[in-house]
Amino acid sequence: MSSPFWTAFGDWYLFNIDALLLIGTYYFLKLKKEEKANSYYWLPFLIIAFTVFYENLGAYTNYNFEFKKSVNALLGNTEFPKYNLWLYNIANKQLSTVLYLFLIKTWLEPSQKKYINWMVIVFVIVSIFLQIAGIEPLYLNQPIIFSMGANMILVGSGLYFIGLITNQYYLNTNPLKLLSFWQMTFLLFTYSLTYINSMTVIYLYEINPQLGISIVQIDRVLGILNKVTLVLIITSPLLKKVFVKEPIFGVA
């Protein structure tokens, strides 16, 4: 039941994010020492690297079915051994949500940052409780955890856009030249348009696999646009004539 190596790893999405990681790594290493220590740069790099790691691990679980089956069995899932939802629940729905909340926090005014801190704490505690209590097992679809995380991302986006229309610096700046504007816009679209996919993916694949695959492709395109923006943030010291400096560089 394992997928051939090329079928598992020869995917256009993997090629694109792998290439973006290589580009991001090259330009991150060229940053000044103080820039590398700034969360404005290392957090986008961390998100790209982490995404590439778990997406390639996901491809490996499809290539090595016995490994995927053994992990599912360890988690108590013997009914759906072909699914690797456990990986994407941990990496994409949970850890990536926390990382993106911290990314949003770097662009918020000091008075707004506390809201992100509380959202992260609540998200982590509730997610752990739902899984330990067996309400949303790690190996099955987790609509409650996803919807909670997605809504927090959307609230964080709302806080950013409120600042965009109230902060004097933003008011005097063309938002199209702010990388934070593009990043928040793509995050907003990603977490808004992928609700159906993330909430019902297991059912779509059982009832209408082609529809499920099509919706996943939309998610992937938006994901690549997000990663492209993250790479642009890393390379922004070289793009001073294209993009303007962000007004807030808070520690995430």
Side-chain angles (χ1 to χ4, degrees):
M1 294 180 67
S2 296
S3 299
F5 182 87
W6 181 251
T7 301
F9 289 93
D11 182 82
W12 66 271
Y13 176 72
L14 285 180
F15 282 145
N16 277 278
I17 62 173
D18 288 348
L20 288 173
L21 176 60
L22 290 175
I23 297 171
T25 301
Y26 174 77
Y27 284 103
F28 182 78
L29 293 175
K30 293 188 68 174
L31 292 174
K32 298 177 182 178
K33 185 177 180 180
E34 58 272 19
E35 290 174 334
K36 292 178 183 177
N38 192 326
S39 62
Y40 180 79
Y41 297 106
W42 66 254
L43 191 51
F45 178 72
L46 175 62
I47 293 174
I48 297 172
F50 179 66
T51 301
V52 170
F53 166 74
Y54 77 73
E55 290 289 1
N56 279 278
L57 180 57
Y60 177 76
T61 63
N62 291 328
Y63 170 68
N64 188 342
F65 174 75
E66 290 303 319
F67 170 73
K68 178 167 57 176
K69 181 180 178 181
S70 64
V71 173
N72 275 306
L74 181 65
L75 296 173
N77 176 27
T78 56
E79 186 178 359
F80 303 105
K82 66 179 181 179
Y83 294 138
N84 56 6
L85 282 172
W86 48 270
L87 171 61
Y88 289 94
N89 284 337
I90 295 174
N92 184 275
K93 300 299 186 293
Q94 298 177 38
L95 294 179
S96 289
T97 296
V98 172
L99 290 175
Y100 275 119
L101 284 172
F102 280 135
L103 182 67
I104 293 171
K105 180 182 172 184
T106 64
W107 295 320
L108 298 182
E109 297 183 33
S111 62
Q112 297 175 319
K113 294 179 185 294
K114 60 184 178 182
Y115 300 118
I116 300 296
N117 292 335
W118 280 110
M119 282 193 282
V120 169
I121 293 172
V122 170
F123 179 74
V124 171
I125 293 175
V126 174
S127 297
I128 292 175
F129 170 76
L130 290 174
Q131 292 170 109
I132 292 178
I135 298 174
E136 290 201 335
L138 185 60
Y139 54 82
L140 292 179
N141 198 30
Q142 298 181 322
I144 298 176
I145 292 176
F146 166 74
S147 60
M148 178 175 59
N151 280 310
M152 288 180 176
I153 294 290
L154 296 179
V155 169
S157 301
L159 291 174
Y160 169 81
F161 285 110
I162 289 174
L164 195 67
I165 61 176
T166 58
N167 184 291
Q168 193 59 45
Y169 180 91
Y170 283 131
L171 293 174
N172 294 329
T173 303
N174 181 356
L176 298 180
K177 291 191 174 184
L178 287 167
L179 281 168
S180 61
F181 171 81
W182 291 108
Q183 184 67 72
M184 294 309 306
T185 298
F186 289 133
L187 278 178
L188 189 63
F189 276 108
T190 298
Y191 281 87
S192 297
L193 298 179
T194 57
Y195 247 95
I196 297 176
N197 171 42
S198 297
M199 295 286 282
T200 62
V201 62
I202 194 169
Y203 307 108
L204 284 176
Y205 273 100
E206 287 293 329
I207 299 172
N208 192 334
Q210 290 303 317
L211 177 59
I213 292 173
S214 296
I215 295 178
V216 167
Q217 296 309 313
I218 296 175
D219 191 15
R220 286 178 153 199
V221 170
L222 290 171
I224 289 176
L225 291 175
N226 273 313
K227 305 308 177 294
V228 168
T229 310
L230 292 172
V231 170
L232 288 174
I233 292 173
I234 297 171
T235 61
S236 59
L238 302 176
L239 302 172
K240 294 180 180 179
K241 293 183 179 180
V242 181
F243 299 104
V244 298
K245 185 177 180 181
E246 301 289 338
I248 300 172
F249 294 90
V251 177

